[in-house]
Amino acid sequence: MNSYRYHVTVEMTHDQKGEPVPDDTRSLHFEAANHDDLLEIAQRIRRKQYFDAKTAASLAIGFKLFAEVMLQHRNDPLFEGLQEPIMEFVQRLKNLPAKSGSASNPSAEPSAPSAAL
């Protein structure tokens, strides 16, 4: 299968109490393949402006990484029963209308996420 390849880095910047974590003490790096262009998908979700830009990026990347693992292991009983709800979620996400009057800069963060469209 042809795939896009990604290097994913997750670095902890602050602990749960809000205290800064020293550089390079808590990080995770890995390679991941995906059949979709994750950066384009993140931009599409940002353009909808349903979520702020950081939340949209987190949703897009986290969801697509999970969904790719599920797709690769579709016959594993662990993922049994998830495919249909995941497909329904994807359709709802794709069908979200863009917020009216949305800014032309998809990386700009709106002041507050919209609760309803």
Side-chain angles (χ1 to χ4, degrees):
M1 174 199 293
N2 292 336
S3 297
Y4 294 91
R5 301 280 313 158
Y6 298 94
H7 178 86
V8 179
T9 301
V10 178
E11 297 178 1
M12 182 183 296
T13 59
H14 292 79
D15 66 18
Q16 62 189 19
K17 296 177 184 174
E19 297 294 323
V21 174
D23 291 344
D24 297 327
T25 59
R26 299 292 306 268
S27 64
L28 173 65
H29 308 272
F30 61 94
E31 296 286 325
N34 200 289
H35 69 277
D36 286 321
D37 180 342
L38 301 184
L39 302 176
E40 173 58 30
I41 289 171
Q43 287 299 334
R44 276 191 251 154
I45 293 173
R46 283 178 164 183
R47 281 192 293 269
K48 303 255 185 196
Q49 293 195 351
Y50 189 79
F51 300 104
D52 64 75
K54 290 178 185 176
T55 301
S58 180
L59 171 64
I61 301 306
F63 177 77
K64 288 302 295 176
L65 290 174
F66 171 78
E68 189 73 12
V69 171
M70 187 183 76
L71 181 64
Q72 291 173 2
H73 299 277
R74 68 175 64 85
N75 295 322
D76 188 314
L78 177 64
F79 297 105
E80 189 176 314
L82 290 178
Q83 290 179 2
E84 188 174 321
I86 293 285
M87 289 171 43
E88 289 173 11
F89 173 79
V90 168
Q91 285 307 309
R92 282 195 309 271
L93 186 60
K94 284 181 176 182
N95 291 330
L96 281 177
K99 190 175 169 183
S100 64
S102 63
S104 60
N105 181 1
S107 64
E109 290 189 28
S111 57
S114 173
L117 295 177

